[in-house]
Amino acid sequence: MRFTIVGAGAVGSLWALKLHEAGHSVQFWTRQSTDTLIRHQEGSPQKVFTANSLELVQESDCLLFCVKAFQVKEALSSIAAHVHKDTPVVFLHNGMGTAELALSTLPNNPLLLATTSHGSLKVSEETIKHTGLGETRLGGINSTGNQCDFLAEVFQHALPPCYWERSIERALWKKLAINCMINPLTALLQAQNGVITDPQYRTQLDALSDEISLVMCAEGMATSAKEVFDSAIAVATATAENYSSMNRDVYYRRPSEIEAITGFLIHRASIHGIATPENTRLYHAIKELEQSYDHT
Ligand code: PAF
């Protein structure tokens, strides 16, 4: 298949390399003004990818957006006019809230959302490290997107495991819950994911999981505070040595995904009239940190 990967960060580069190794033809679409990009995995040979070819966008069999949620709008507006209406478009990022934008910008395309727990780190401009084996879940958000289950097989072949989800929303909420539990705390503490398993954070995590489970239930995603707590602890234990994406964003003073993660949860909570004091506190703490970047 011919892929255009939108975004050449750690996640986009990992997928580009894996899809290329699986025999697909891959180009990048990036904000950089370049026509080629070199990428390789630590210890593997370099591969030169074409970048920003409009012709290749038009000929693509699939577009895979690997930009952060807050970058989707700008990326979509740079490419949407060139995408054939039958081309499936997949959005892969942490957090939620981009589905409406995708549906209104590309109303005729098969549209899909995906979530992944693979760890990937850019160790230099051209080199990435696959830091943790995870899994990918994929599902449609419109009727034609729902018919693209073959893509789960394509992704499974390139970077397994990949599961097809009849209700991708449920998988996205489960991941959102984990991100709400791990990301802001590890960013504020500037510590690895394992830190949240320390008993001193138990009360705070209990408060977070209570709030998150109430919002999920109100959204029709039946769960319990225990389930939310246990799944976050399981991920934090399995990735104890890793730094969360929000930890890295704060460390490098980049804009974080707080709006699409905790911000999305708080927004949905307010619609249901559910109080989320602990999540709101973390949300404001991260926002304050981001604002301080401009002044220091
Ligand atoms: O955002 C991240 O870094 C990851 O999704 C998570 C869940 C924290 C695991 O490292």
Side-chain angles (χ1 to χ4, degrees):
M1 283 178 65
R2 291 161 297 186
F3 279 90
T4 292
I5 308 234
V6 181
V11 176
S13 299
L14 178 68
W15 279 97
L17 286 164
K18 295 295 180 187
L19 287 164
H20 162 71
E21 281 165 20
H24 302 289
S25 147
V26 178
Q27 80 140 339
F28 281 110
W29 184 261
T30 110
R31 275 189 305 196
Q32 282 167 263
S33 48
T34 176
D35 52 9
T36 54
L37 282 177
I38 300 172
R39 287 291 180 269
H40 57 106
Q41 235 180 288
E42 267 194 335
S44 330
Q46 293 192 338
K47 157 79 186 143
V48 181
F49 291 95
T50 304
N52 301 335
S53 155
L54 273 182
E55 205 180 325
L56 291 182
V57 171
Q58 284 151 0
E59 288 170 0
S60 288
D61 301 309
C62 178
L63 255 71
L64 176 57
F65 275 69
C66 294
V67 293
K68 296 195 173 189
F70 62 83
Q71 296 167 327
V72 166
K73 190 173 181 190
E74 190 189 327
L76 259 176
S77 63
S78 72
I79 204 172
H82 312 291
V83 184
H84 189 279
K85 68 170 179 38
D86 294 335
T87 307
V89 182
V90 182
F91 296 86
L92 172 63
H93 55 71
N94 269 340
M96 292 174 76
T98 57
E100 285 72 22
L101 183 65
L103 288 163
S104 59
T105 314
L106 296 169
N108 301 312
N109 287 76
L111 297 175
L112 302 96
L113 292 179
T115 174
T116 189
S117 53
H118 282 283
S120 181
L121 194 71
K122 235 177 162 176
V123 287
S124 76
E125 195 41 53
E126 298 170 352
T127 318
I128 60 130
K129 189 176 174 185
H130 191 185
T131 48
L133 277 176
E135 57 173 40
T136 303
R137 293 184 180 271
L138 175 72
I141 54 167
N142 59 4
S143 56
T144 44
N146 278 322
Q147 288 162 23
C148 292
D149 49 342
F150 70 95
L151 278 176
E153 279 171 48
V154 174
F155 290 172
Q156 159 74 21
H157 180 234
L159 180 53
C162 179
Y163 303 102
W164 178 250
E165 290 280 344
R166 280 167 193 268
S167 164
I168 189 63
E169 222 195 328
R170 184 165 182 84
L172 294 175
W173 267 103
K174 281 186 167 180
K175 179 74 190 304
L176 187 93
I178 293 169
N179 285 137
C180 285
M181 298 281 284
I182 299 179
N183 294 31
L185 259 179
T186 53
L188 291 169
L189 296 167
Q190 274 303 294
Q192 288 134 306
N193 292 348
V195 77
I196 73 155
T197 61
D198 189 314
Q200 67 171 302
Y201 301 111
R202 179 69 204 233
T203 315
Q204 198 173 1
L205 289 178
D206 279 342
L208 290 172
S209 54
D210 278 345
E211 295 171 13
I212 295 165
S213 62
L214 285 176
V215 181
M216 285 181 69
C217 289
E219 290 280 313
M221 310 289 152
T223 189
S224 63
K226 183 177 180 325
E227 196 180 350
V228 169
F229 177 88
D230 288 349
S231 50
I233 294 296
V235 172
T237 307
T239 62
E241 301 301 318
N242 288 4
Y243 290 104
S244 75
S245 47
M246 200 174 291
N247 172 299
R248 292 298 81 188
D249 288 336
V250 164
Y251 182 81
Y252 290 112
R253 297 172 155 240
R254 299 185 296 231
S256 80
E257 298 165 305
I258 193 72
E259 282 299 345
I261 296 177
T262 309
F264 184 80
L265 179 96
I266 296 171
H267 169 65
R268 296 308 304 172
S270 72
I271 288 170
H272 299 294
I274 298 168
T276 52
E278 195 53 36
N279 280 283
T280 304
R281 207 182 62 71
L282 293 181
Y283 171 84
H284 288 301
I286 295 287
K287 285 296 220 187
E288 261 170 45
L289 257 184
E290 287 181 345
Q291 275 149 20
S292 72
Y293 301 161
D294 305 334
H295 307 293
T296 49

